[in-house]
Amino acid sequence: MTVLVWIADDTWQSCVDAARAYEGSEFLLLHVSDHDVPGAAHGAFAGLFGRSSRDPGTRLDDLAAGHAAQLLDAAAERLGLPCTTSARIGRVEHEVVAAAREASLLILCRDGDVSHAGPRSLGHATRFVVDHAPCPVLLVWPT
């Protein structure tokens, strides 16, 4: 059994804690950095070519990669079980759904208005993943 754990910035701890119940499984911890912000910076730089010698999009790419690595390391340590990690860049919801094609279970967390149950307790990307995941989904409440 392959358990895919979506490591999102604000809710990853709850997902990792829920994953521990599946000890004995293969774990893949996935973090996805949205490509929109670095892409916008690259585009802005291209429009101002010649005014600066350093593309700010490159710096944002580096910061995103470093952040993803730190988050995945912290998640692996919290899990305390053998696991692999993956950092992707792209449209978050599409990358998670693509990774879930190889999974037996996807663990993710509510990330919207969690003051009460219902559709608003899911953010846009999370709603998309729940609706399109090709495997069973374990949706947990943040703690």
Side-chain angles (χ1 to χ4, degrees):
M1 174 179 208
T2 301
V3 176
L4 174 63
V5 184
W6 181 7
I7 304 300
D9 289 346
D10 297 332
T11 59
W12 66 269
Q13 296 95 335
S14 299
C15 293
V16 170
D17 293 347
R20 280 198 220 105
Y22 297 91
E23 186 173 353
S25 300
E26 293 180 24
F27 293 98
L28 173 60
L29 307 180
L30 173 69
H31 181 272
V32 181
S33 297
D34 197 332
H35 70 290
D36 286 346
V37 174
H42 285 301
F45 174 75
L48 299 172
F49 188 77
R51 294 188 180 183
S52 173
S53 61
R54 297 179 62 179
D55 181 352
T58 303
R59 176 73 175 132
L60 289 173
D61 285 336
D62 293 343
L63 288 171
H67 174 71
Q70 287 178 332
L71 213 53
L72 288 168
D73 288 346
E77 184 176 329
R78 185 175 183 117
L79 181 62
L81 298 167
C83 63
T84 56
T85 61
S86 176
R88 295 184 179 195
I89 298 173
R91 287 198 54 191
V92 176
E93 59 273 24
H94 291 204
E95 293 296 327
V96 174
V97 169
R101 288 188 186 107
E102 305 299 322
S104 306
L105 176 67
L106 168 62
I107 300 176
L108 54 96
C109 193
R110 294 177 184 273
D111 60 349
D113 176 10
V114 293
S115 62
H116 59 280
R120 293 183 186 199
S121 67
L122 301 178
H124 170 75
T126 305
R127 166 55 56 197
F128 183 93
V129 171
V130 167
D131 289 344
H132 295 88
C135 66
V137 173
L138 174 60
L139 181 61
V140 300
W141 284 94
T143 54

